[in-house]
Amino acid sequence: MAGEHIGIKKSNKDLAIIYSETPCIYAGAFTLNEVKAAPVLWDEKILQQSKMVHGVVVNSGNANAVTGTQGMENTQTMASLSAKAVGKSANEMLVCSTGVIGVQLPMDKICEGISLVASKLDDSPQSSNNVAEAILTTDTCIKEIAFCEEIGGQTINVGAIGKGSGMIHPNMATMLAFVTTDAKITQPMLQKALSKCINTTFNMITVDGDTSTNDSVIILANGQAQNLIIDKEDENFSKFCEILEAALKHIAIVIVQDGEGATKLLEVQMSNVLNFERGKSLAKSILTSSLVKTAFFGEDANWGRILAAMGYAGVPLNSENISLTLKSKSGSILMFEKGIPVHFDEDFALTILKEKEIQIIVDMAEGTEIVRAWGCDLSYDYVKINGEYRS
Amino acid sequence: MAGEHIGIKKSNKDLAIIYSETPCIYAGAFTLNEVKAAPVLWDEKILQQSKMVHGVVVNSGNANAVTGTQGMENTQTMASLSAKAVGKSANEMLVCSTGVIGVQLPMDKICEGISLVASKLDDSPQSSNNVAEAILTTDTCIKEIAFCEEIGGQTINVGAIGKGSGMIHPNMATMLAFVTTDAKITQPMLQKALSKCINTTFNMITVDGDTSTNDSVIILANGQAQNLIIDKEDENFSKFCEILEAALKHIAIVIVQDGEGATKLLEVQMSNVLNFERGKSLAKSILTSSLVKTAFFGEDANWGRILAAMGYAGVPLNSENISLTLKSKSGSILMFEKGIPVHFDEDFALTILKEKEIQIIVDMAEGTEIVRAWGCDLSYDYVKINGEYRS
C-alpha cells in the first residue's frame, strides 16, 4: 500500500494504491444513488465480470461524478496507469474517487501521481496509515481497524479502513471503506458476508441524510490464510461474518462520531420492535430529523421531537404503546411511558445530555426484535463546513 | 377575532379566537404524521360529522401532542369554554395548538385566557393582526393576506393567516393556516378546492424535512357573499380555486422565506418533466438536502450536490438528459448541460448567489410539465434556534 499528496487537494495526501501481489477475489457494495460516479460504474462492471483483482487506486478531493464520458475515460486511465505500474492489466484494478462532484479530474497531476505512489508500495503499518489518510475529505481523523482471529483453528486477518464525514446516509454502502483479508473464501460467500454485514452496520448510520454518488465498500480476499475454504453457510462462515461485522461496525460508528461538525454520537436502540425493517425506518427517521439533531446539540431534553420524527417515518404507529428513555454514562431517565409524558428532573436530564455518547432507547412493546442505528447531532460547524466546502 | 397574551409563552400573544356569528361550512387538511396532536384528532372528528362551525380557538407555545387522554380532555375543554363564551356548543368550535411537544397545557391560564380573549372579539383589522401574532412560535413575522375578487359578477372576500418557520415539511397540510371567506360554496366543493390548492402550495414547501404533529389548514366559509352557490366543478369553481391557490401560495412562500434561520428563499423549478409526482419527488429531494441548503447559505455554486440529491430522490434518473441553471435577479448561469459540467465564471455565480431569492432551474428534457417547490437555506441560526428552543 501507499498514499501520498499529489496536488488534487491544496495540501494533505490525496492518492493511494492498495495492492496485493496475490490475485484477490473481491466483493463490493455500491451506492443506490441513481447518479453514480464514474469509478462506481467501473467497479460494478468488473464485479459483474467476476475477475480476480490486484487492488484499488483511490483519490480524494474530486469525486469524478456527473462528469460524462470524459469522466469514464479518466477512470479507465487511472485503472490502466496504476495496473501498468505494477505489471497488471487495467481490469485487475478497481478505482474509487471521493470529493467535490461535477469537476473533471486533473489528469496531469493524477498521471504523475500514480507513478509516484506506485514507486512507494510496501507492507509497512505507516503505509496503511498513509492510505487511510489519503482517502479523507472533511474527516478529522483516520479510520482503521484490524482483527486477527481464528477460524477452524487457523489464524485469519481482517483489516479495514474507511472515510466519511458528510453526505453520509448510506444505502447499501457508505462513502468509502476498504477491507482486506487473507481468509480463504469463495466469491459468492464473500459477497454474501459483505451484504449481510452492511445491513447492520453501514446501512444503519446517517450524518446528514444525503446519500453520496460515490459510496463504495470493497473487500479483497487473497486466500493466503490456512483456514479450510469457506464455501457454504456453516459455522466458519458465521465466524467470518462476526469478525467482518465487528470491523465494519467500528468503521461505521467512527464515521458518524467524526460526522461533519458532530459533537455527540447518538445511538438509537429500538427495542421490542415487530421486525428489523420497521425498527430501521423508525430509528433512521429519528436520526435524520434536523430538529432532533439540533436539540441534542443544544443539550435540550426536547424528547417530543423524537416522537414527531417517528410519526413521519412512513410506518403505522400507536404512540400509546411507546416508552422512551435517554441514557448516557451519567445515568438514564424515562421521558415518556406508554403514551404518557413522564415528569422528569431537568437538571438530571442535562447531566445525561452533556455526555458525548447518548443512547435513545425506544421500547415499542410490540415484538422481540432489537434494532440499533447511529447518528450524530447537527451543530454550527456542520453549516460552516458545508457552506465553505469548495472554497 | 381576537388574540392576546395569556401566559403560555413568557411574552408575546399566545391565544386567539376566530369567530363568525353566522355558522360556517368548513374544510380542513391535516398532518399525515402518525402521531397526531389532540386538537388535530378533535378537528378531524368534527369534520367527519360535517357540522357547521362558528370558529376556531388556537394557542401557541404548546402543541398538546403526545399528551395522552389528558391532552384530549384539555382540547375538549378549550372547545367548550370558547363555545360557551360565545353562546354556542363545543362541537361548533375547532381547536388548534402549536409549540412544544409532550407537555400538558397549563389549563388554569387557558381557562382564564379564553374568557379574556372572548371578551375582546371584534371585526377590526387590528384584531386580525393580533390573531396572526398569537399563533406564531419561532416565526419572525406575521403572515396574512386578503383578496377581494369577483365570481360571476359578485364580490367575494378571501382572507388567510398562517404560521410556521420550523418543523416544516407539510404532508397534506402545513403548520397552521386559517382561511376565511364569505363565498357561497357547498362543503364538498370547499373541501375539493382546499385539497387541490394544497397540492401545489403547502405540499410544495420545506424548511427542515420535519413533518409536524399539528399541521392544519382550515377554511371557514360563511356564505354571506352574493355569488351563485358553487356546487360543481364549473368556471366559478375554477375562479374560486385560483383565488384560494394565490392566498395559500402567498402564505406558503412567506413561511419558507421566514424559515428558521433562513437567509435565502430557494425556488426549484423542474421544467420539461414527465409528470407532477416525479417533479415533486425530485424538487423536494433537492430542497431537503442539508448539503444543498448549506451550499446556498455559503453562496457556494457547488451544483454537484443538486445532482446528488436528485439521485437519491427514489425515482429513476438519467443524468445525460439533465441541464441545470441557477438564476436570480442578477442574472442566470448554466452549470450543467445534458450530462456535462459547463465551465462557468465563479465571480458571476457569486453575484447571482448573493441575492436573497434564487431559482434552481432543472430542465429534465423528458416531458412538458413544470413543477415548482420552495425551500430555504440552512444557516447557523437554524441550529441556534433549535438547539435552544425550549429554554
Side-chain angles (χ1 to χ4, degrees):
Chain A
M1 296 191 187
E4 292 295 328
H5 172 63
I6 66 152
I8 308 173
K9 296 194 288 197
K10 281 177 197 150
S11 53
N12 298 331
K13 299 192 175 62
D14 48 15
L15 192 110
I17 296 176
I18 299 170
Y19 173 69
S20 162
E21 178 55 31
T22 316
C24 301
I25 60 159
Y26 133 66
F30 300 97
T31 184
L32 291 188
N33 194 308
E34 285 280 325
V35 177
K36 291 186 207 301
V40 169
L41 298 173
W42 172 265
D43 295 348
E44 284 185 335
K45 194 187 77 182
I46 291 189
L47 187 59
Q48 275 167 11
Q49 298 169 343
S50 247
K51 297 262 184 204
M52 303 290 268
V53 296
H54 282 277
V56 193
V57 55
V58 203
N59 74 276
S60 59
N62 185 316
N64 195 10
V66 290
T67 42
T69 47
Q70 197 189 324
M72 279 309 299
E73 281 165 26
N74 290 343
T75 287
Q76 188 155 3
T77 304
M78 282 177 73
S80 58
L81 285 180
S82 54
K84 200 174 162 193
V86 292
K88 309 295 172 190
S89 67
N91 61 3
E92 293 172 312
M93 284 301 283
L94 303 171
V95 183
C96 289
S97 298
T98 178
V100 69
I101 298 171
V103 178
Q104 297 295 353
L105 288 168
M107 288 310 289
D108 47 341
K109 289 176 184 165
I110 287 190
C111 296
E112 273 183 40
I114 285 175
S115 305
L116 174 74
V117 174
S119 72
K120 303 210 168 180
L121 289 167
D122 68 31
D123 290 338
S124 67
Q126 182 55 47
S127 292
S128 170
N129 275 350
N130 290 347
V131 173
E133 214 180 301
I135 65 175
L136 305 182
T137 51
T138 51
D139 308 59
T140 67
C141 61
I142 64 169
K143 291 148 181 98
E144 55 182 353
I145 195 162
F147 289 100
C148 179
E149 296 273 345
E150 285 197 357
I151 290 186
Q154 298 294 330
T155 302
I156 69 129
N157 294 286
V158 172
I161 62 172
K163 63 84 50 175
S165 184
M167 210 180 252
I168 299 289
H169 188 78
N171 203 339
M172 291 309 292
T174 187
M175 286 297 279
L176 292 183
F178 304 103
V179 186
T180 53
T181 180
D182 57 2
K184 268 199 179 61
I185 183 168
T186 62
Q187 201 284 334
M189 296 316 285
L190 187 67
Q191 184 67 51
K192 188 167 268 183
L194 181 63
S195 304
K196 183 168 183 269
C197 294
I198 277 173
N199 272 338
T200 54
T201 57
F202 288 121
N203 279 356
M204 297 308 275
I205 64 171
T206 184
V207 168
D208 49 14
D210 279 82
T211 301
S212 154
T213 48
N214 290 54
D215 289 348
S216 305
V217 180
I218 285 170
I219 179 165
L220 304 176
N222 70 3
Q224 297 296 291
Q226 298 306 312
N227 66 300
L228 210 66
I229 189 161
I230 298 167
D231 57 3
K232 58 179 178 295
E233 291 193 47
D234 58 7
E235 202 184 313
N236 290 343
F237 176 76
S238 299
K239 177 70 186 171
F240 180 74
C241 286
E242 209 179 280
I243 302 164
L244 182 60
E245 190 187 22
L248 297 186
K249 192 170 178 174
H250 172 84
I251 301 287
I253 290 180
V254 179
I255 283 175
V256 283
Q257 206 154 23
D258 189 33
E260 287 175 343
T263 72
K264 289 178 197 297
L265 172 68
L266 307 176
E267 175 179 296
V268 169
Q269 185 182 307
M270 304 296 308
S271 62
N272 300 314
V273 66
L274 209 56
N275 57 52
F276 178 80
E277 280 308 319
R278 189 172 153 81
K280 178 177 171 178
S281 300
L282 291 164
K284 292 195 92 168
S285 192
I286 295 170
L287 289 168
T288 51
S289 161
S290 296
L291 290 167
V292 170
K293 290 156 68 78
T294 45
F296 279 100
F297 172 63
E299 298 174 344
D300 180 10
N302 197 342
W303 60 270
R305 293 178 179 176
I306 296 171
L307 269 289
M310 290 170 65
Y312 62 76
V315 301
L317 209 64
N318 182 356
S319 60
E320 284 167 28
N321 291 335
I322 299 171
S323 302
L324 173 69
T325 300
L326 296 185
K327 187 177 172 186
S328 72
K329 67 179 183 191
S330 292
S332 76
I333 198 162
L334 181 68
M335 301 259 157
F336 186 64
E337 189 174 23
K338 300 238 166 245
I340 313 279
V342 177
H343 184 78
F344 62 89
D345 179 343
E346 287 276 355
D347 290 340
F348 184 43
L350 185 60
T351 308
I352 289 171
L353 293 177
K354 282 211 168 297
E355 296 295 341
K356 294 289 169 212
E357 297 185 13
I358 296 161
Q359 275 186 305
I360 300 163
I361 303 171
V362 183
D363 187 342
M364 297 295 292
E366 60 174 27
T368 55
E369 194 92 17
I370 296 185
V371 180
R372 286 186 183 82
W374 299 270
C376 59
D377 58 343
L378 171 59
S379 74
Y380 298 122
D381 280 352
Y382 179 86
V383 178
K384 185 175 162 63
I385 291 163
N386 287 300
E388 297 172 358
Y389 180 59
R390 288 192 325 149
S391 28
Chain B
M1 298 191 184
E4 294 293 329
H5 172 62
I6 67 154
I8 308 171
K9 296 195 288 198
K10 282 175 197 151
S11 54
N12 299 331
K13 299 191 175 63
D14 48 15
L15 192 109
I17 296 177
I18 297 170
Y19 173 69
S20 162
E21 179 54 32
T22 315
C24 300
I25 60 161
Y26 132 66
F30 300 97
T31 184
L32 292 187
N33 194 307
E34 285 280 323
V35 177
K36 291 185 208 300
V40 170
L41 298 173
W42 173 266
D43 295 347
E44 285 185 334
K45 194 186 78 182
I46 291 190
L47 188 60
Q48 275 167 11
Q49 298 170 345
S50 245
K51 296 265 184 200
M52 302 290 269
V53 296
H54 282 275
V56 193
V57 55
V58 202
N59 75 276
S60 59
N62 185 314
N64 194 11
V66 291
T67 43
T69 49
Q70 196 188 325
M72 279 309 299
E73 282 165 23
N74 290 344
T75 287
Q76 189 156 2
T77 304
M78 281 178 74
S80 58
L81 286 181
S82 54
K84 200 174 162 194
V86 292
K88 310 294 172 191
S89 67
N91 61 6
E92 294 171 313
M93 284 301 283
L94 304 171
V95 183
C96 289
S97 298
T98 178
V100 68
I101 298 171
V103 179
Q104 297 295 352
L105 287 168
M107 288 309 288
D108 48 343
K109 288 176 186 166
I110 286 191
C111 296
E112 273 184 40
I114 286 174
S115 306
L116 173 73
V117 174
S119 73
K120 303 212 168 179
L121 288 168
D122 67 31
D123 290 339
S124 66
Q126 181 55 47
S127 292
S128 170
N129 274 350
N130 289 348
V131 173
E133 214 180 301
I135 64 176
L136 305 182
T137 51
T138 51
D139 308 61
T140 67
C141 61
I142 64 168
K143 290 146 183 97
E144 55 182 354
I145 195 162
F147 289 100
C148 179
E149 296 273 346
E150 286 198 358
I151 291 186
Q154 299 292 332
T155 302
I156 68 129
N157 293 286
V158 172
I161 62 173
K163 65 82 51 174
S165 184
M167 210 180 254
I168 299 290
H169 189 77
N171 203 339
M172 290 310 289
T174 186
M175 286 296 280
L176 291 182
F178 304 104
V179 187
T180 54
T181 179
D182 56 3
K184 269 198 178 62
I185 184 168
T186 61
Q187 202 283 334
M189 295 316 285
L190 188 66
Q191 185 66 54
K192 188 167 270 184
L194 182 63
S195 303
K196 185 169 182 271
C197 294
I198 277 173
N199 272 337
T200 53
T201 57
F202 288 120
N203 279 355
M204 297 308 276
I205 64 171
T206 185
V207 168
D208 48 15
D210 279 82
T211 301
S212 153
T213 48
N214 290 53
D215 289 349
S216 305
V217 180
I218 284 170
I219 179 164
L220 304 176
N222 69 4
Q224 297 296 290
Q226 298 306 311
N227 66 301
L228 209 68
I229 189 161
I230 298 166
D231 57 3
K232 58 180 177 298
E233 291 193 47
D234 57 7
E235 202 183 312
N236 290 343
F237 176 77
S238 299
K239 177 70 186 172
F240 180 74
C241 285
E242 209 177 280
I243 303 164
L244 182 59
E245 190 187 21
L248 298 185
K249 192 171 179 176
H250 172 85
I251 302 289
I253 290 180
V254 179
I255 284 174
V256 284
Q257 206 153 23
D258 189 34
E260 286 174 343
T263 72
K264 289 179 198 297
L265 173 68
L266 307 177
E267 175 180 297
V268 169
Q269 185 183 306
M270 304 296 306
S271 62
N272 300 315
V273 65
L274 209 56
N275 57 51
F276 178 80
E277 279 311 317
R278 188 169 153 83
K280 179 177 171 179
S281 300
L282 291 165
K284 293 194 91 170
S285 192
I286 295 170
L287 288 168
T288 51
S289 160
S290 296
L291 290 168
V292 170
K293 290 155 68 79
T294 46
F296 279 101
F297 173 64
E299 299 175 344
D300 180 10
N302 196 341
W303 61 270
R305 292 179 179 176
I306 296 172
L307 269 289
M310 290 170 64
Y312 62 75
V315 301
L317 209 64
N318 181 356
S319 59
E320 285 167 28
N321 290 335
I322 299 172
S323 302
L324 172 70
T325 301
L326 297 184
K327 186 177 173 186
S328 73
K329 67 179 183 189
S330 292
S332 77
I333 198 162
L334 181 69
M335 302 257 155
F336 186 63
E337 189 175 21
K338 299 236 166 250
I340 313 281
V342 177
H343 184 76
F344 62 88
D345 178 344
E346 288 276 355
D347 290 340
F348 183 43
L350 185 60
T351 307
I352 290 171
L353 292 177
K354 282 212 167 298
E355 297 294 341
K356 293 290 166 212
E357 298 185 13
I358 296 161
Q359 275 186 306
I360 301 162
I361 303 170
V362 183
D363 186 343
M364 296 296 291
E366 60 177 27
T368 56
E369 194 92 19
I370 295 185
V371 180
R372 287 187 181 81
W374 298 271
C376 58
D377 58 343
L378 172 58
S379 73
Y380 298 122
D381 279 353
Y382 179 87
V383 178
K384 184 174 163 64
I385 292 163
N386 287 300
E388 298 173 356
Y389 180 60
R390 288 191 325 147
S391 28

